[in-house]
Amino acid sequence: MLQYQEKALIVPGKFKKWLAPVVVIFCALLAGPLAFASDVIVYTEEYPPYNYALENGQVGGEATLKVRQVLDAAGLDYTIKLVPWSRAMRYASTQENALIYTITRTPAREPDFDWLVPLADSNFYLFVRADEQRTVSREALAAGHFTAACVTGDLTCDLLASTGIPAANVTQISDSGTGDFRLVVAGRADLYISDLAVNNRFRQAEGYSPTITKPVMRLGGKVGFYLAGGQQVNAALRNRVRAAYDRLLADGGFAANADREENKD
């Protein structure tokens, strides 16, 4: 029987001082792209028509299609997960391999995220019951003439605060669904906030006519929905996503929001 004897690789002393750095660089080049290529997690919430669960267990929606388009062009392996929004925000702010989408770009959030891909304009409005006869104005809100409801940790609570409505007049609920809408319909609050398209889809999904409430005041300006990454996310990953978006945009292969791009405030 043949026997093989293992022998240690002997490196002449004059080569040792440069061999180690070369090995380190070589390993980094091999591992760099793979370090995030197979374990990117993209978080979002149930927010039709932009993102929602399909019957087959996958995530669909207008924003989801754009996100998949960019991440596929970037050559990334990724998983999209629907979770409550507060959890999505926590993961996206702390995990090094996490992205988040249909997140609204606001001045308060600006420094915490890298805003990688614009997905859609946001159209947030104050909604009231259809039979509400009082005039909703910033003066009336600040004077405490109305009550409101919002979901704790959601952007809508921040938007309500920006209207000047007293904090004592706002009921914050932990329900991550549409509990704010239900409080208004039940007469326990006067106002809630929603994006126009989202409001219509939620009402239809719940068996209501969208006309059960009505929009009365636009809020927030043209802040927009984005795919974003926290500042703790690998810079190479963020740059890779942005570069893929830029290529698609240059080739005309991405359904960019022309209105947002051409009419920046």
PDB file of all heavy atoms in Angstrom, residues 77-95:
ATOM      1  N   ASP A  77     -28.536  37.569  -3.911  1.00  0.00           N
ATOM      2  CA  ASP A  77     -29.487  36.604  -3.371  1.00  0.00           C
ATOM      3  C   ASP A  77     -30.124  37.256  -2.144  1.00  0.00           C
ATOM      4  O   ASP A  77     -29.415  37.744  -1.271  1.00  0.00           O
ATOM      5  CB  ASP A  77     -28.790  35.303  -2.970  1.00  0.00           C
ATOM      6  CG  ASP A  77     -28.257  34.542  -4.167  1.00  0.00           C
ATOM      7  OD1 ASP A  77     -28.869  34.657  -5.245  1.00  0.00           O
ATOM      8  OD2 ASP A  77     -27.223  33.868  -4.029  1.00  0.00           O
ATOM      9  N   TYR A  78     -31.440  37.262  -2.074  1.00  0.00           N
ATOM     10  CA  TYR A  78     -32.103  38.008  -1.005  1.00  0.00           C
ATOM     11  C   TYR A  78     -33.422  37.338  -0.650  1.00  0.00           C
ATOM     12  O   TYR A  78     -33.978  36.535  -1.406  1.00  0.00           O
ATOM     13  CB  TYR A  78     -32.361  39.450  -1.448  1.00  0.00           C
ATOM     14  CG  TYR A  78     -33.194  39.558  -2.704  1.00  0.00           C
ATOM     15  CD1 TYR A  78     -34.584  39.631  -2.640  1.00  0.00           C
ATOM     16  CD2 TYR A  78     -32.596  39.549  -3.959  1.00  0.00           C
ATOM     17  CE1 TYR A  78     -35.358  39.700  -3.787  1.00  0.00           C
ATOM     18  CE2 TYR A  78     -33.353  39.617  -5.115  1.00  0.00           C
ATOM     19  CZ  TYR A  78     -34.730  39.694  -5.024  1.00  0.00           C
ATOM     20  OH  TYR A  78     -35.493  39.745  -6.170  1.00  0.00           O
ATOM     21  N   THR A  79     -33.918  37.697   0.517  1.00  0.00           N
ATOM     22  CA  THR A  79     -35.221  37.240   0.995  1.00  0.00           C
ATOM     23  C   THR A  79     -36.021  38.469   1.402  1.00  0.00           C
ATOM     24  O   THR A  79     -35.511  39.338   2.108  1.00  0.00           O
ATOM     25  CB  THR A  79     -35.079  36.303   2.204  1.00  0.00           C
ATOM     26  OG1 THR A  79     -34.279  35.182   1.839  1.00  0.00           O
ATOM     27  CG2 THR A  79     -36.442  35.835   2.683  1.00  0.00           C
ATOM     28  N   ILE A  80     -37.274  38.552   0.955  1.00  0.00           N
ATOM     29  CA  ILE A  80     -38.163  39.642   1.354  1.00  0.00           C
ATOM     30  C   ILE A  80     -39.102  39.129   2.438  1.00  0.00           C
ATOM     31  O   ILE A  80     -39.725  38.070   2.279  1.00  0.00           O
ATOM     32  CB  ILE A  80     -38.974  40.172   0.157  1.00  0.00           C
ATOM     33  CG1 ILE A  80     -38.032  40.796  -0.880  1.00  0.00           C
ATOM     34  CG2 ILE A  80     -40.008  41.187   0.615  1.00  0.00           C
ATOM     35  CD1 ILE A  80     -38.740  41.317  -2.121  1.00  0.00           C
ATOM     36  N   LYS A  81     -39.179  39.861   3.540  1.00  0.00           N
ATOM     37  CA  LYS A  81     -40.014  39.444   4.672  1.00  0.00           C
ATOM     38  C   LYS A  81     -41.014  40.536   5.030  1.00  0.00           C
ATOM     39  O   LYS A  81     -40.654  41.709   5.157  1.00  0.00           O
ATOM     40  CB  LYS A  81     -39.139  39.130   5.887  1.00  0.00           C
ATOM     41  CG  LYS A  81     -38.253  37.902   5.713  1.00  0.00           C
ATOM     42  CD  LYS A  81     -37.539  37.548   7.007  1.00  0.00           C
ATOM     43  CE  LYS A  81     -36.722  36.274   6.864  1.00  0.00           C
ATOM     44  NZ  LYS A  81     -36.071  35.883   8.139  1.00  0.00           N
ATOM     45  N   LEU A  82     -42.272  40.125   5.194  1.00  0.00           N
ATOM     46  CA  LEU A  82     -43.316  41.022   5.693  1.00  0.00           C
ATOM     47  C   LEU A  82     -43.379  40.898   7.206  1.00  0.00           C
ATOM     48  O   LEU A  82     -43.608  39.813   7.734  1.00  0.00           O
ATOM     49  CB  LEU A  82     -44.676  40.646   5.100  1.00  0.00           C
ATOM     50  CG  LEU A  82     -44.977  41.017   3.650  1.00  0.00           C
ATOM     51  CD1 LEU A  82     -46.344  40.480   3.264  1.00  0.00           C
ATOM     52  CD2 LEU A  82     -44.924  42.523   3.448  1.00  0.00           C
ATOM     53  N   VAL A  83     -43.175  42.007   7.906  1.00  0.00           N
ATOM     54  CA  VAL A  83     -43.233  42.028   9.366  1.00  0.00           C
ATOM     55  C   VAL A  83     -43.923  43.311   9.798  1.00  0.00           C
ATOM     56  O   VAL A  83     -44.080  44.239   9.002  1.00  0.00           O
ATOM     57  CB  VAL A  83     -41.809  41.955   9.987  1.00  0.00           C
ATOM     58  CG1 VAL A  83     -41.111  40.660   9.616  1.00  0.00           C
ATOM     59  CG2 VAL A  83     -40.966  43.155   9.560  1.00  0.00           C
ATOM     60  N   PRO A  84     -44.362  43.413  11.051  1.00  0.00           N
ATOM     61  CA  PRO A  84     -44.901  44.686  11.535  1.00  0.00           C
ATOM     62  C   PRO A  84     -43.875  45.804  11.332  1.00  0.00           C
ATOM     63  O   PRO A  84     -42.664  45.583  11.454  1.00  0.00           O
ATOM     64  CB  PRO A  84     -45.151  44.420  13.024  1.00  0.00           C
ATOM     65  CG  PRO A  84     -45.389  42.943  13.089  1.00  0.00           C
ATOM     66  CD  PRO A  84     -44.457  42.346  12.070  1.00  0.00           C
ATOM     67  N   TRP A  85     -44.353  47.003  11.045  1.00  0.00           N
ATOM     68  CA  TRP A  85     -43.449  48.089  10.660  1.00  0.00           C
ATOM     69  C   TRP A  85     -42.435  48.438  11.739  1.00  0.00           C
ATOM     70  O   TRP A  85     -41.270  48.715  11.443  1.00  0.00           O
ATOM     71  CB  TRP A  85     -44.252  49.328  10.275  1.00  0.00           C
ATOM     72  CG  TRP A  85     -43.385  50.395   9.689  1.00  0.00           C
ATOM     73  CD1 TRP A  85     -43.084  51.610  10.229  1.00  0.00           C
ATOM     74  CD2 TRP A  85     -42.686  50.328   8.438  1.00  0.00           C
ATOM     75  NE1 TRP A  85     -42.249  52.307   9.389  1.00  0.00           N
ATOM     76  CE2 TRP A  85     -41.981  51.547   8.282  1.00  0.00           C
ATOM     77  CE3 TRP A  85     -42.576  49.363   7.431  1.00  0.00           C
ATOM     78  CZ2 TRP A  85     -41.197  51.828   7.165  1.00  0.00           C
ATOM     79  CZ3 TRP A  85     -41.794  49.636   6.324  1.00  0.00           C
ATOM     80  CH2 TRP A  85     -41.107  50.851   6.203  1.00  0.00           C
ATOM     81  N   SER A  86     -42.847  48.421  12.986  1.00  0.00           N
ATOM     82  CA  SER A  86     -41.906  48.746  14.060  1.00  0.00           C
ATOM     83  C   SER A  86     -40.750  47.763  14.080  1.00  0.00           C
ATOM     84  O   SER A  86     -39.591  48.137  14.333  1.00  0.00           O
ATOM     85  CB  SER A  86     -42.619  48.753  15.415  1.00  0.00           C
ATOM     86  OG  SER A  86     -43.208  47.486  15.679  1.00  0.00           O
ATOM     87  N   ARG A  87     -41.037  46.496  13.787  1.00  0.00           N
ATOM     88  CA  ARG A  87     -39.976  45.491  13.739  1.00  0.00           C
ATOM     89  C   ARG A  87     -39.090  45.695  12.516  1.00  0.00           C
ATOM     90  O   ARG A  87     -37.862  45.561  12.589  1.00  0.00           O
ATOM     91  CB  ARG A  87     -40.587  44.092  13.729  1.00  0.00           C
ATOM     92  CG  ARG A  87     -39.593  42.965  13.989  1.00  0.00           C
ATOM     93  CD  ARG A  87     -40.269  41.612  13.910  1.00  0.00           C
ATOM     94  NE  ARG A  87     -41.447  41.543  14.775  1.00  0.00           N
ATOM     95  CZ  ARG A  87     -42.335  40.558  14.729  1.00  0.00           C
ATOM     96  NH1 ARG A  87     -42.198  39.581  13.837  1.00  0.00           N
ATOM     97  NH2 ARG A  87     -43.361  40.555  15.552  1.00  0.00           N
ATOM     98  N   ALA A  88     -39.706  46.027  11.383  1.00  0.00           N
ATOM     99  CA  ALA A  88     -38.925  46.284  10.172  1.00  0.00           C
ATOM    100  C   ALA A  88     -37.948  47.429  10.391  1.00  0.00           C
ATOM    101  O   ALA A  88     -36.778  47.359   9.984  1.00  0.00           O
ATOM    102  CB  ALA A  88     -39.865  46.600   9.008  1.00  0.00           C
ATOM    103  N   MET A  89     -38.404  48.472  11.033  1.00  0.00           N
ATOM    104  CA  MET A  89     -37.540  49.624  11.301  1.00  0.00           C
ATOM    105  C   MET A  89     -36.403  49.253  12.247  1.00  0.00           C
ATOM    106  O   MET A  89     -35.261  49.682  12.068  1.00  0.00           O
ATOM    107  CB  MET A  89     -38.366  50.767  11.887  1.00  0.00           C
ATOM    108  CG  MET A  89     -39.261  51.460  10.874  1.00  0.00           C
ATOM    109  SD  MET A  89     -38.310  52.436   9.667  1.00  0.00           S
ATOM    110  CE  MET A  89     -37.760  53.790  10.714  1.00  0.00           C
ATOM    111  N   ARG A  90     -36.711  48.457  13.257  1.00  0.00           N
ATOM    112  CA  ARG A  90     -35.670  48.052  14.212  1.00  0.00           C
ATOM    113  C   ARG A  90     -34.603  47.203  13.529  1.00  0.00           C
ATOM    114  O   ARG A  90     -33.404  47.440  13.704  1.00  0.00           O
ATOM    115  CB  ARG A  90     -36.304  47.277  15.379  1.00  0.00           C
ATOM    116  CG  ARG A  90     -35.284  46.862  16.446  1.00  0.00           C
ATOM    117  CD  ARG A  90     -35.949  46.332  17.684  1.00  0.00           C
ATOM    118  NE  ARG A  90     -36.568  45.032  17.487  1.00  0.00           N
ATOM    119  CZ  ARG A  90     -37.884  44.822  17.407  1.00  0.00           C
ATOM    120  NH1 ARG A  90     -38.720  45.837  17.504  1.00  0.00           N
ATOM    121  NH2 ARG A  90     -38.367  43.607  17.238  1.00  0.00           N
ATOM    122  N   TYR A  91     -35.028  46.234  12.739  1.00  0.00           N
ATOM    123  CA  TYR A  91     -34.064  45.389  12.040  1.00  0.00           C
ATOM    124  C   TYR A  91     -33.236  46.203  11.045  1.00  0.00           C
ATOM    125  O   TYR A  91     -32.018  46.022  10.934  1.00  0.00           O
ATOM    126  CB  TYR A  91     -34.788  44.270  11.294  1.00  0.00           C
ATOM    127  CG  TYR A  91     -35.458  43.244  12.176  1.00  0.00           C
ATOM    128  CD1 TYR A  91     -36.477  42.427  11.681  1.00  0.00           C
ATOM    129  CD2 TYR A  91     -35.074  43.069  13.507  1.00  0.00           C
ATOM    130  CE1 TYR A  91     -37.095  41.477  12.492  1.00  0.00           C
ATOM    131  CE2 TYR A  91     -35.693  42.125  14.311  1.00  0.00           C
ATOM    132  CZ  TYR A  91     -36.705  41.340  13.796  1.00  0.00           C
ATOM    133  OH  TYR A  91     -37.311  40.405  14.593  1.00  0.00           O
ATOM    134  N   ALA A  92     -33.911  47.084  10.308  1.00  0.00           N
ATOM    135  CA  ALA A  92     -33.215  47.862   9.283  1.00  0.00           C
ATOM    136  C   ALA A  92     -32.234  48.855   9.886  1.00  0.00           C
ATOM    137  O   ALA A  92     -31.304  49.311   9.211  1.00  0.00           O
ATOM    138  CB  ALA A  92     -34.231  48.603   8.413  1.00  0.00           C
ATOM    139  N   SER A  93     -32.425  49.185  11.145  1.00  0.00           N
ATOM    140  CA  SER A  93     -31.548  50.150  11.811  1.00  0.00           C
ATOM    141  C   SER A  93     -30.397  49.489  12.556  1.00  0.00           C
ATOM    142  O   SER A  93     -29.481  50.181  13.011  1.00  0.00           O
ATOM    143  CB  SER A  93     -32.362  50.992  12.810  1.00  0.00           C
ATOM    144  OG  SER A  93     -33.388  51.699  12.152  1.00  0.00           O
ATOM    145  N   THR A  94     -30.434  48.149  12.683  1.00  0.00           N
ATOM    146  CA  THR A  94     -29.423  47.480  13.504  1.00  0.00           C
ATOM    147  C   THR A  94     -28.684  46.350  12.793  1.00  0.00           C
ATOM    148  O   THR A  94     -27.542  46.054  13.149  1.00  0.00           O
ATOM    149  CB  THR A  94     -30.076  46.901  14.773  1.00  0.00           C
ATOM    150  OG1 THR A  94     -31.129  45.999  14.399  1.00  0.00           O
ATOM    151  CG2 THR A  94     -30.662  48.004  15.637  1.00  0.00           C
ATOM    152  N   GLN A  95     -29.304  45.721  11.807  1.00  0.00           N
ATOM    153  CA  GLN A  95     -28.684  44.572  11.156  1.00  0.00           C
ATOM    154  C   GLN A  95     -27.808  45.007   9.979  1.00  0.00           C
ATOM    155  O   GLN A  95     -28.197  45.892   9.203  1.00  0.00           O
ATOM    156  CB  GLN A  95     -29.752  43.590  10.671  1.00  0.00           C
ATOM    157  CG  GLN A  95     -30.549  42.967  11.808  1.00  0.00           C
ATOM    158  CD  GLN A  95     -31.608  41.998  11.308  1.00  0.00           C
ATOM    159  OE1 GLN A  95     -31.802  41.807  10.107  1.00  0.00           O
ATOM    160  NE2 GLN A  95     -32.313  41.362  12.240  1.00  0.00           N
TER     161      GLN A  95
END
